[in-house]
Amino acid sequence: MNRKEYFEIPWAALRSMCDPSFAKRAVFSHSEYLPHGNVITSAAANITDTEVVTAKGDKVAYDFAVIATGHSETGAYTKDEKFSQYQTDHQKIKSASSILIIGGGQTGVELAAEIAVDYPDKKVTIVHRGSMLLEFIGESASNKVVHWLKSRKVEIILGQSVDVNSAKDGVYKTSGGQTIDAECHFICIGKPIGSGWLKETVLKGSLDIHGRLMVDSDLKVKGRSNVFGIGDITDIPELKLGYLAQRHAGITAKNIRLLMKNANDNNLNVYKPALPLSLIALGKKEAVAQFYCLSCIGRLPGMIKSGDLFVGRTRKQLGLLSELQ
Ligand SMILES: Cc1cc2nc3c(=O)[nH]c(=O)nc-3n(C[C@H](O)[C@H](O)[C@H](O)COP(=O)(O)OP(=O)(O)OC[C@H]3O[C@@H](n4cnc5c(N)ncnc54)[C@H](O)[C@@H]3O)c2cc1C
């Protein structure tokens, strides 16, 4: 069950905004990788001990349920809507000579880098509320990114926010009273955790104070014998990353198969939180990588992620061809 009729490799979105043709491989219908599955296109609105209720009111009975609603999103329910959203973003970027990016987390930084590399003549400004960009990585890695962006003429304003509704004639005011001229803006602040729909359900007691779904080491939701939690929605103490969500999925699939054969809980596979490795793309060739307190920036980490953004690899993992025919 998914609220959208398509799957999207989320971290390819920033490149698709600059180059909409990139989305052709990163956005595909659920039926392409699940030819024999039954996909219900609707938001899940409630879960009971035996069924999930969709936003349309349909009831779907389950023996096992896996909750993987990482982040909640709005808009673009169909593939065509998504492609046209990228065309609109692309036109916006292409026609503006100055662009304001609000938010200096991974989304804001990767978008600024894509624009700075593809359109070196455009003036890009990032306004970030925090005291450093990419707060989840260390200070040294963050400083390297600041240096990289500044060397490409990206202006960075830290410790301030912008109320876009108060913008007038292309002039934006920051909370610190600074003014920024920009012909368009992109809001790149984190999406809310996709657990809002669980708050009035039988799983409300399994959410922590941040709204994350608490899971045991076998990835069963705390206090539940047939409901699993995987991906960004969980409280697993590790960075929230897609390849880790895929690992959770693999373990969960194995555990469900074991439980279907009446295995004992003690025989279930156990997930160990991953080591803290971050990789942030800086355009098509470079990246910054951090492992514990070690970090490096440039073409070497870029060779791992930035060329294809793992799109071909993810497609292959889902049983699709890496390239379109
Ligand atoms: C800029 C950026 C770069 C990144 N780069 C990388 C990277 O290089 N490598 C990497 O591994 N990870 C990367 N990540 C992290 C990665 O995107 C996430 O960890 C991953 O998408 C988590 O997957 P998920 O399935 O848990 O959640 P999501 O990707 O958020 O998917 C949740 C799905 O559930 C749907 N949904 C939500 N609520 C409901 C509901 N009530 N009913 C039905 N459907 C619902 C949503 O529409 C969505 O399709 C990056 C993230 C960002 C922001």
Side-chain angles (χ1 to χ4, degrees):
M1 185 182 299
N2 194 290
R3 54 172 288 283
K4 302 174 304 193
E5 63 151 52
Y6 59 89
F7 174 80
E8 171 169 33
I9 300 170
W11 53 87
L14 295 330
R15 180 146 316 154
S16 299
M17 290 166 72
C18 289
D19 172 8
S21 69
F22 197 72
K24 295 260 181 286
R25 289 165 62 238
V27 176
F28 38 88
S29 303
H30 294 298
S31 56
E32 287 181 56
Y33 65 92
L34 268 183
H36 307 298
N38 174 25
V39 179
I40 299 167
T41 309
S42 177
N46 189 13
I47 180 166
T48 69
D49 290 331
T50 52
E51 55 196 16
V52 174
V53 185
T54 71
K56 295 173 191 156
D58 296 328
K59 292 177 177 164
V60 184
Y62 68 85
D63 294 318
F64 293 95
V66 182
I67 313 284
T69 52
H71 294 277
S72 49
E73 298 166 275
T74 49
Y77 295 101
T78 67
K79 239 173 25 168
D80 286 346
E81 282 170 8
K82 193 71 204 176
F83 289 141
S84 87
Q85 199 180 69
Y86 285 134
Q87 289 293 351
T88 308
D89 289 337
H90 176 58
Q91 281 310 322
K92 213 165 124 178
I93 292 169
K94 225 169 88 173
S95 58
S97 59
S98 49
I99 299 163
L100 169 63
I101 294 175
I102 298 150
Q106 190 163 0
T107 306
V109 166
E110 290 200 1
L111 178 60
E114 291 287 338
I115 298 173
V117 167
D118 284 5
Y119 301 98
D121 294 333
K122 295 193 191 290
K123 182 179 175 304
V124 178
T125 306
I126 302 178
V127 175
H128 182 56
R129 199 190 288 266
S131 57
M132 61 182 238
L133 293 183
L134 301 165
E135 275 127 343
F136 66 97
I137 61 172
E139 205 177 334
S140 148
S142 173
N143 288 341
K144 286 180 177 122
V145 172
V146 168
H147 179 75
W148 188 95
L149 289 167
K150 284 190 172 166
S151 72
R152 281 151 187 86
K153 296 194 232 80
V154 175
E155 190 185 346
I156 299 164
I157 300 173
L158 296 173
Q160 298 196 42
S161 55
V162 175
D163 174 12
V164 289
N165 296 322
S166 64
K168 229 177 154 189
D169 302 326
V171 180
Y172 295 77
K173 262 210 170 104
T174 70
S175 51
Q178 230 169 302
T179 55
I180 301 160
D181 291 327
E183 288 171 21
C184 72
H185 70 265
F186 291 97
I187 298 180
C188 297
I189 52 178
K191 294 179 200 153
I193 299 173
S195 62
W197 69 281
L198 295 171
K199 286 187 177 151
E200 301 301 326
T201 72
V202 291
L203 296 188
K204 66 179 174 204
S206 306
L207 297 175
D208 71 9
I209 50 164
H210 307 291
R212 294 204 184 275
L213 198 54
M214 296 185 283
V215 293
D216 291 320
S217 58
D218 57 14
L219 301 181
K220 285 212 294 296
V221 171
K222 275 205 189 308
R224 296 274 142 186
S225 57
N226 62 344
V227 183
F228 289 78
I230 62 172
D232 283 12
I233 197 174
T234 64
D235 70 337
I236 299 172
E238 62 185 5
L239 291 172
K240 299 300 172 201
L241 288 166
Y243 78 93
L244 300 178
Q246 287 164 350
R247 276 191 206 165
H248 305 167
I251 297 228
T252 297
K254 281 186 193 158
N255 284 347
I256 290 177
R257 276 197 290 268
L258 286 169
L259 288 170
M260 285 166 80
K261 290 180 192 154
N262 295 321
N264 188 296
D265 270 4
N266 297 331
N267 296 329
L268 296 184
N269 294 280
V270 162
Y271 179 77
K272 289 202 183 78
L275 300 175
L277 170 66
S278 324
L279 201 50
I280 293 124
L282 298 169
K284 294 186 178 74
K285 293 201 169 112
E286 297 180 74
V288 63
Q290 173 168 294
F291 186 60
Y292 286 106
C293 57
L294 298 174
S295 65
C296 72
I297 192 165
R299 292 214 172 201
L300 197 64
M303 281 161 65
I304 304 171
K305 175 170 177 180
S306 305
D308 194 44
L309 297 176
F310 306 128
V311 169
R313 196 173 87 175
T314 307
R315 286 178 61 88
K316 276 197 205 155
Q317 282 168 339
L318 290 169
L320 301 176
L321 293 172
S322 161
E323 298 297 329
L324 297 175
Q325 290 298 292

